[in-house]
Structures are given as C-alpha cells and as structure tokens.
Amino acid sequence: MTAKNQRLVLAGLAVLAVVGAALLALSALKDQAAFFYAPGDVEKSGLPLGREVRLGGMVAANSIARQPDGVSIRFRVTDGRATVPVAFTGIAPDLFRERSGVVAEGHFNPDGSFTATNLLAKHDEKYMPPEVAGAMHETKTLER
Amino acid sequence: MASLHAFANPARFLKIARPLTGWLFWTGAALIAFGCWAGLTQTPPDYLQGDSVRILYIHVPTAWLGMGGWSGIALSSIAYLVWRHPLANVAARAIAVPGAMFAALCLMTGSIWGRPTWGTWWQWDGRLTSMLLLFFVYLGYIGLARADREQGGDGRIPALFGVAGSVLLPIIRYSVVWWNTLHQGESIGLASSTIDGSMLWPLGFTLAGFSLFFAAVVLMRMRDMLARARNEARLRRMARA
C-alpha cells in the first residue's frame, strides 16, 4: 500500500468517525436538546414541576378565550396525543392564533395546567400567498 | 487522477481563474439584483407572515453558503491531507472568511425575521445554536490557519480541524427533524417544496447569484494568496543572493 493510499484510507476513516460522532451527538441529546415539552411528553413522563420550562404544540381550535381584564388569555395546547390548558397575561405575538404552532415559556401547576410568562409563535414550513391560503380554507369549510 | 493533478498546477489554475473571476462576479451580481427585485416586488406576501417572508430570498442562500462553505473547507482539507496539493490548502483558507461572513449573515437575517414572526430575536433552539457554533468554528479555523502559517506550519493541523468541524453539518441539517425546535422544519426538499411556487421562484435567482458571488470571492482570495506566496519566495531568493 502506497503512502497516498494509506492517507486516503485514513481520511475515509476520519470522515466515518465524524459522521458517527454527529449521529451519536444527535441521538444522545434527543431528550435534553428538545426546545420544548410537547403535551404528549408530559403525559408520558410526568409533570416537570418546580422549574421554568417551555411547552410547545398547536393552539387548539376555538380554545382562545380573552379574559375580562383585557390582557389575560386562556387557551389549550395540543399535539394530538394530549392537551394542556394554558393561562397567559401579556402581549401575544402577531402570529399567535388558533390551529397554529405556539411555544409557551412558564411553569406547570400541580393540577396539570400551565402558567405562561411569555409566548412565542412557532411558524411551520408552509409558505403561501393569501389567495391560496384563502382557497384552501374555503375547501376545508365546504368539505365540512 | 491525471485531470485533477492538472488543475492543481498553480500556473494552469491562474490561467483559468483570472478570466473566470470577473465572469462569476458580474453574473452573480446581476442574478442577485434581479432575484432581490423580483422577491421584493413580483411575489405575493405570505398569508401569515406578510411581507417579512421576503427575507427568505437572502436568508436561504446565506444558510446554504454558510454550510456549503464548510463542506468546501472539509473537502479541500481531505484533498490536501491525502494528495498534499498546496492548492487545496489555499482553497480551504480562501473559503473560510466568506464562509464565516455568510454564516453571520444567516444568523442576522434569521434574527431579524424571528422578531416579528416568533416574537423573539434569539432563542437557544437546536437549529439556531448549532448554526452559531458553526460561525464560531469558522472563526477558530481562521485563527488557527493564520497561526499555523505564521509559525511556518505546513497546514496539516488546520486541515484536520477542517475535517473535524464538519461534524456540525449533519447536526445543523437534521436539528429540526430530530429535535423539537422553534425553527420550522425543512421547506425545500430535493423533489418538492412547501413554499408556494408563486413565492419560490426568485429564490432560484438569489441562490445561484450568491453562489457565483461566493465562488468569485474565493477565486480572488486564492489568487491573492498565491501572489503573496510568490512574492515571499522572490524576496527570500533576493535576500539569499
């Protein structure tokens, strides 16, 4: 084996090691590196009480209720597996709306509800002009 | 391998690179200008994000070149380590600065978009954090390559760093698939896109334009480095004479 071939094999092994390291890092951090808890995770592994966490999911349809004080809202966050009721006082981002993604920062209460101190709107990967979105919305309504 | 060796010859490289630089630069600039004009005036706003969606025509090319730049450093580093071509070493060092610049632009445009869309400038989310790490790794590479050169090293240590740093590329790519992140999932796949066609098409122009611009900057820097090396060699010869 010539020196060049030897270096080629070594470089190949190095690339394999790098890819392996990336995959190991990704899977090892799978739970720790999650940006938020989904309602289904909480149901499975118990409430993370007594510390600040983030809760993420979809805002359930027809669940946003404005409170009489004018700055508080209540809504439900769902991921299809479980649903968590959330209370929030403050200014919600513009993209916060029903059937859209949300990440709430705050803490869980012992009764399973969530008190949020800050809301982030989570955008999904779909981008479309208003006409197309409107048309899709109409079809959905017609089907129903 | 004969053809690859031919391109590794600096004299032949310069003969091709000299006319190519201008062509790449001006074509790239024209494509960027047209893509930005089309993205700002010829496409509809998004149904949720409104006009802030238009930053994607800059953000996506900068993300692609920030990551593509490091792929170039890694490939050049492997070529240098295996075949010991000095030109591969020059190429890796030439890519580092524009690569770092595009990684920084990606973080900045993302932050500007995140404020109105998510309601925050920055969050320690998997995608954002791994991209920030790539930017720091670029800075580390630039410092290491410079130190190696000043100490009279042969560039093998920065090349090893170039290979090792590519560990971040799959992490950035799959962070949104494997982890819960604030950043949305992949919009543009190999075969399909979840961005409506009426909004997507200017992105092709800016992607191609920024890529050509990037290539032109890399060629300029490579020619600059080769000219410096030639000057230094000449000065050394004169000092000896």
Short mmCIF file of all heavy atoms in Angstrom, two decimals, chain A residues 7, chain B residues 77-78 80-82 84 89 93 141 144-145 148-149 152-163:
data_model
loop_
_atom_site.label_atom_id
_atom_site.label_comp_id
_atom_site.label_asym_id
_atom_site.label_seq_id
_atom_site.Cartn_x
_atom_site.Cartn_y
_atom_site.Cartn_z
N ARG A 7 -3.06 7.29 3.30
CA ARG A 7 -3.68 8.55 3.74
C ARG A 7 -5.14 8.61 3.33
O ARG A 7 -5.99 9.11 4.05
CB ARG A 7 -2.92 9.75 3.17
CG ARG A 7 -1.53 9.92 3.75
CD ARG A 7 -1.02 11.34 3.53
NE ARG A 7 -0.86 11.68 2.13
CZ ARG A 7 0.28 11.53 1.45
NH1 ARG A 7 1.35 11.06 2.05
NH2 ARG A 7 0.34 11.88 0.18
N SER B 77 -9.69 20.12 2.61
CA SER B 77 -8.78 19.63 3.64
C SER B 77 -8.44 18.17 3.41
O SER B 77 -7.29 17.75 3.54
CB SER B 77 -9.41 19.80 5.02
OG SER B 77 -9.64 21.17 5.29
N ILE B 78 -9.48 17.37 3.04
CA ILE B 78 -9.23 15.95 2.76
C ILE B 78 -8.30 15.83 1.55
O ILE B 78 -7.32 15.08 1.58
CB ILE B 78 -10.56 15.21 2.51
CG1 ILE B 78 -11.34 15.10 3.82
CG2 ILE B 78 -10.30 13.82 1.93
CD1 ILE B 78 -12.74 14.55 3.65
N TYR B 80 -6.14 17.94 0.58
CA TYR B 80 -4.78 18.35 0.97
C TYR B 80 -4.10 17.26 1.79
O TYR B 80 -2.92 16.95 1.59
CB TYR B 80 -4.83 19.66 1.77
CG TYR B 80 -3.47 20.11 2.20
CD1 TYR B 80 -2.50 20.44 1.26
CD2 TYR B 80 -3.14 20.18 3.55
CE1 TYR B 80 -1.24 20.83 1.66
CE2 TYR B 80 -1.87 20.57 3.95
CZ TYR B 80 -0.93 20.90 3.00
OH TYR B 80 0.33 21.27 3.38
N LEU B 81 -4.85 16.66 2.74
CA LEU B 81 -4.25 15.64 3.60
C LEU B 81 -3.85 14.41 2.80
O LEU B 81 -2.83 13.79 3.08
CB LEU B 81 -5.24 15.25 4.71
CG LEU B 81 -5.44 16.30 5.80
CD1 LEU B 81 -6.58 15.90 6.72
CD2 LEU B 81 -4.17 16.50 6.60
N VAL B 82 -4.68 14.03 1.81
CA VAL B 82 -4.42 12.79 1.07
C VAL B 82 -3.41 13.03 -0.06
O VAL B 82 -2.41 12.33 -0.16
CB VAL B 82 -5.73 12.21 0.50
CG1 VAL B 82 -5.45 11.00 -0.37
CG2 VAL B 82 -6.66 11.83 1.65
N ARG B 84 -1.83 16.03 -0.76
CA ARG B 84 -0.82 17.04 -0.46
C ARG B 84 -0.72 18.13 -1.54
O ARG B 84 0.37 18.63 -1.81
CB ARG B 84 0.59 16.40 -0.27
CG ARG B 84 0.68 15.44 0.88
CD ARG B 84 0.88 16.18 2.18
NE ARG B 84 0.44 15.39 3.32
CZ ARG B 84 1.17 14.43 3.89
NH1 ARG B 84 2.36 14.16 3.44
NH2 ARG B 84 0.69 13.76 4.91
N ASN B 89 -4.94 23.38 -0.02
CA ASN B 89 -4.74 24.09 1.23
C ASN B 89 -5.11 25.57 1.06
O ASN B 89 -5.79 26.17 1.90
CB ASN B 89 -3.27 23.93 1.63
CG ASN B 89 -2.99 24.48 3.01
OD1 ASN B 89 -3.88 24.48 3.85
ND2 ASN B 89 -1.77 24.94 3.22
N ARG B 93 -8.27 27.77 2.93
CA ARG B 93 -8.09 29.03 3.66
C ARG B 93 -8.86 30.16 3.00
O ARG B 93 -9.35 31.07 3.67
CB ARG B 93 -6.60 29.37 3.75
CG ARG B 93 -5.89 28.52 4.79
CD ARG B 93 -4.52 29.07 5.11
NE ARG B 93 -3.64 28.99 3.95
CZ ARG B 93 -2.94 30.00 3.48
NH1 ARG B 93 -3.02 31.18 4.05
NH2 ARG B 93 -2.16 29.84 2.43
N TYR B 141 -11.18 28.37 12.92
CA TYR B 141 -10.38 27.91 11.77
C TYR B 141 -9.53 29.05 11.22
O TYR B 141 -8.35 28.86 10.91
CB TYR B 141 -11.30 27.36 10.69
CG TYR B 141 -10.54 26.89 9.47
CD1 TYR B 141 -10.05 25.59 9.40
CD2 TYR B 141 -10.29 27.75 8.41
CE1 TYR B 141 -9.32 25.17 8.31
CE2 TYR B 141 -9.57 27.34 7.31
CZ TYR B 141 -9.09 26.05 7.27
OH TYR B 141 -8.37 25.63 6.19
N LEU B 144 -6.68 29.63 13.57
CA LEU B 144 -5.73 28.51 13.56
C LEU B 144 -4.91 28.51 12.28
O LEU B 144 -3.69 28.32 12.31
CB LEU B 144 -6.51 27.20 13.70
CG LEU B 144 -5.68 25.92 13.82
CD1 LEU B 144 -4.86 25.95 15.10
CD2 LEU B 144 -6.59 24.69 13.82
N ALA B 145 -5.57 28.74 11.13
CA ALA B 145 -4.86 28.72 9.85
C ALA B 145 -3.83 29.84 9.81
O ALA B 145 -2.71 29.67 9.31
CB ALA B 145 -5.85 28.85 8.70
N ASP B 148 -0.95 28.92 12.13
CA ASP B 148 -0.16 27.85 11.53
C ASP B 148 0.79 28.40 10.47
O ASP B 148 1.95 28.02 10.39
CB ASP B 148 -1.11 26.82 10.91
CG ASP B 148 -0.37 25.68 10.24
OD1 ASP B 148 0.12 24.81 10.97
OD2 ASP B 148 -0.28 25.68 8.99
N ARG B 149 0.28 29.35 9.68
CA ARG B 149 1.11 29.94 8.63
C ARG B 149 2.24 30.78 9.20
O ARG B 149 3.38 30.72 8.74
CB ARG B 149 0.23 30.82 7.74
CG ARG B 149 0.38 30.55 6.29
CD ARG B 149 -0.48 31.46 5.47
NE ARG B 149 0.36 32.36 4.67
CZ ARG B 149 1.19 31.97 3.73
NH1 ARG B 149 1.33 30.70 3.46
NH2 ARG B 149 1.90 32.85 3.04
N GLY B 152 5.08 28.93 10.38
CA GLY B 152 5.76 28.15 9.35
C GLY B 152 5.26 26.72 9.26
O GLY B 152 5.98 25.84 8.80
N GLY B 153 4.03 26.46 9.70
CA GLY B 153 3.47 25.12 9.61
C GLY B 153 3.13 24.76 8.17
O GLY B 153 3.09 25.63 7.30
N ASP B 154 2.84 23.48 7.91
CA ASP B 154 2.55 23.07 6.53
C ASP B 154 1.04 23.00 6.29
O ASP B 154 0.61 22.53 5.24
CB ASP B 154 3.20 21.73 6.23
CG ASP B 154 2.72 20.63 7.17
OD1 ASP B 154 1.89 20.95 8.05
OD2 ASP B 154 3.16 19.49 7.02
N GLY B 155 0.21 23.45 7.23
CA GLY B 155 -1.23 23.50 7.03
C GLY B 155 -1.95 22.21 7.35
O GLY B 155 -3.15 22.09 7.11
N ARG B 156 -1.23 21.23 7.92
CA ARG B 156 -1.91 19.96 8.18
C ARG B 156 -2.84 20.05 9.39
O ARG B 156 -3.89 19.42 9.42
CB ARG B 156 -0.88 18.85 8.43
CG ARG B 156 -0.92 17.82 7.31
CD ARG B 156 -0.01 16.67 7.59
NE ARG B 156 1.39 17.07 7.50
CZ ARG B 156 2.40 16.22 7.77
NH1 ARG B 156 2.14 14.98 8.13
NH2 ARG B 156 3.64 16.63 7.68
N ILE B 157 -2.46 20.88 10.38
CA ILE B 157 -3.31 20.99 11.59
C ILE B 157 -4.64 21.69 11.27
O ILE B 157 -5.70 21.18 11.62
CB ILE B 157 -2.54 21.67 12.74
CG1 ILE B 157 -1.42 20.74 13.19
CG2 ILE B 157 -3.45 22.03 13.89
CD1 ILE B 157 -0.39 21.37 14.08
N PRO B 158 -4.62 22.84 10.56
CA PRO B 158 -5.91 23.41 10.14
C PRO B 158 -6.73 22.46 9.29
O PRO B 158 -7.96 22.45 9.39
CB PRO B 158 -5.52 24.67 9.35
CG PRO B 158 -4.12 24.95 9.67
CD PRO B 158 -3.49 23.73 10.24
N ALA B 159 -6.06 21.65 8.45
CA ALA B 159 -6.79 20.70 7.60
C ALA B 159 -7.52 19.67 8.46
O ALA B 159 -8.68 19.33 8.19
CB ALA B 159 -5.85 20.02 6.62
N LEU B 160 -6.86 19.18 9.51
CA LEU B 160 -7.52 18.23 10.41
C LEU B 160 -8.72 18.90 11.09
O LEU B 160 -9.79 18.30 11.23
CB LEU B 160 -6.54 17.73 11.48
CG LEU B 160 -5.48 16.74 10.99
CD1 LEU B 160 -4.47 16.45 12.09
CD2 LEU B 160 -6.14 15.45 10.53
N PHE B 161 -8.55 20.16 11.49
CA PHE B 161 -9.64 20.92 12.10
C PHE B 161 -10.79 21.07 11.10
O PHE B 161 -11.96 20.98 11.47
CB PHE B 161 -9.11 22.29 12.53
CG PHE B 161 -10.08 23.13 13.31
CD1 PHE B 161 -10.25 22.94 14.65
CD2 PHE B 161 -10.83 24.11 12.67
CE1 PHE B 161 -11.14 23.71 15.37
CE2 PHE B 161 -11.73 24.88 13.38
CZ PHE B 161 -11.88 24.68 14.74
N GLY B 162 -10.45 21.28 9.82
CA GLY B 162 -11.46 21.41 8.78
C GLY B 162 -12.31 20.16 8.64
O GLY B 162 -13.52 20.24 8.44
N VAL B 163 -11.65 18.98 8.74
CA VAL B 163 -12.39 17.72 8.65
C VAL B 163 -13.25 17.54 9.89
O VAL B 163 -14.44 17.22 9.80
CB VAL B 163 -11.43 16.53 8.47
CG1 VAL B 163 -12.19 15.23 8.46
CG2 VAL B 163 -10.64 16.69 7.17
#
